[in-house]
């Protein structure tokens, strides 16, 4: 039964009292600013259990590759560990597999999934970073398991606008940060971490997380 504190005339239609336990009390929900919209706050809802995300397997790859120009080859994906895209690398198709750290910048893109498939393609990573208008494109259903942090910022995009359920992002222990006019289309599970949506960014889909921040 949290107290609701409002500042700056947010658009809030009031509290709905449900039938669960009234404890704990003494916490507060703050709504600040005229641009904040919250239809209802529902109190006395007994918590559901968030299913843990298992830590994905570690990469056995031995090669770290940086692509900076169109036509450059990644080589054998079975031995790939880290992949970095920048410059004029464009879009690089990545087959399902277990890798370590993926980083994209400068309007480049990772392309995941199998076009036309109804079965999800499975990928395992340690960390994922998309920045500076880069993208994570999915051409079919994808399960992306990440051990650590996911960072999507500076007008970057993850997922497919017309098929947000194609991307299932499962984060074992890290945080998911979507910031600076970025967008994510997908189902996000981060039961042990923080999901933050900041700086005019947007989520189209669903999120289950331990902590949630929506700001700016």
């Amino acid at each position: 039964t949290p107290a609701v504190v409002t500042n700056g005339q947010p658009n809030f239609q009031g509290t709905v009292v449900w039938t669960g336990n009234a404890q704990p009390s003494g916490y507060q929900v703050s709504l600040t600013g005229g641009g904040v919209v919250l239809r209802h706050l529902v109190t006395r809802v007994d918590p559901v259990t968030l299913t843990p995300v298992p830590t994905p397997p570690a990469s056995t790859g031995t090669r770290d590759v940086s692509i900076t120009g169109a036509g450059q080859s990644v080589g054998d994906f079975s031995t790939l560990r880290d992949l970095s895209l920048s410059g004029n690398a464009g879009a690089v198709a990545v087959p399902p597999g277990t890798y370590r750290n993926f980083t994209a910048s400068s309007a480049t893109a990772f392309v995941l999934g199998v076009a036309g498939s109804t079965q999800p393609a499975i990928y395992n990573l340690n960390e994922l970073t998309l920045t500076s208008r880069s993208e994570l494109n999915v051409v079919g259903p994808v399960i992306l398991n990440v051990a650590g942090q996911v960072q999507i910022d500076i007008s970057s995009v993850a997922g497919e606008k017309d098929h947000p359920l194609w991307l299932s992002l499962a984060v074992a222990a890290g945080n998911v940060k979507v910031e600076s006019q970025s967008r994510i289309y997908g189902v996000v599970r981060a039961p042990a971490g923080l999901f933050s949506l900041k700086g005019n960014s947007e989520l189209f889909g669903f999120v289950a997380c331990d902590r949630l921040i929506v700001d700016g």
Side-chain angles (χ1 to χ4, degrees):
T1 51
V4 180
V5 177
T6 61
N7 297 288
Q9 296 183 325
N11 184 350
F12 175 50
Q13 297 181 30
T15 297
V16 174
V17 180
W18 204 238
T19 58
N21 199 317
Q23 299 299 320
S25 61
Y27 294 86
Q28 102 178 8
V29 175
S30 298
L31 306 175
T32 301
V36 173
V37 178
L38 176 62
R39 183 178 172 213
H40 291 116
L41 174 70
V42 183
T43 65
R44 293 186 59 181
V45 177
D46 292 334
V48 298
T49 299
L50 296 180
T51 303
V53 171
T55 301
S59 171
T60 59
T62 56
R63 296 185 306 114
D64 301 337
V65 177
S66 178
I67 302 295
T68 59
Q72 294 179 357
S73 175
V74 176
D76 185 356
F77 277 94
S78 68
T79 60
L80 177 68
R81 182 171 55 188
D82 294 354
L83 179 57
S84 174
L85 307 180
S86 61
N88 297 315
V92 175
V94 180
T98 297
Y99 308 100
R100 190 172 67 174
N101 299 331
F102 276 16
T103 302
S105 62
S106 306
T108 58
F110 297 111
V111 181
L112 307 187
V114 178
S117 175
T118 59
Q119 298 299 315
I122 299 176
Y123 295 80
N124 298 306
L125 293 177
N126 183 59
E127 289 189 355
L128 172 66
T129 302
L130 306 175
T131 187
S132 301
R133 297 177 292 112
S134 61
E135 297 184 359
L136 179 77
N137 298 330
V138 294
V139 296
V142 166
I143 295 175
L144 177 56
N145 302 308
V146 181
Q149 178 166 289
V150 174
Q151 180 82 32
I152 305 169
D153 64 14
I154 313 179
S155 302
S156 296
V157 179
E160 168 56 44
K161 179 180 180 180
D162 294 330
H163 301 279
L165 296 183
W166 275 2
L167 176 61
S168 177
L169 175 61
V171 181
N175 301 325
V176 180
K177 299 180 179 180
V178 185
E179 302 178 348
S180 302
Q181 297 183 326
S182 296
R183 299 187 304 279
I184 182 168
Y185 302 92
V187 175
V188 181
R189 294 175 54 225
L194 165 74
F195 182 91
S196 63
L197 197 65
K198 296 184 177 182
N200 205 30
S201 296
E202 297 176 293
L203 163 71
F204 299 85
F206 173 84
V207 60
C209 59
D210 182 63
R211 302 177 305 284
L212 173 67
I213 293 177
V214 181
D215 188 27

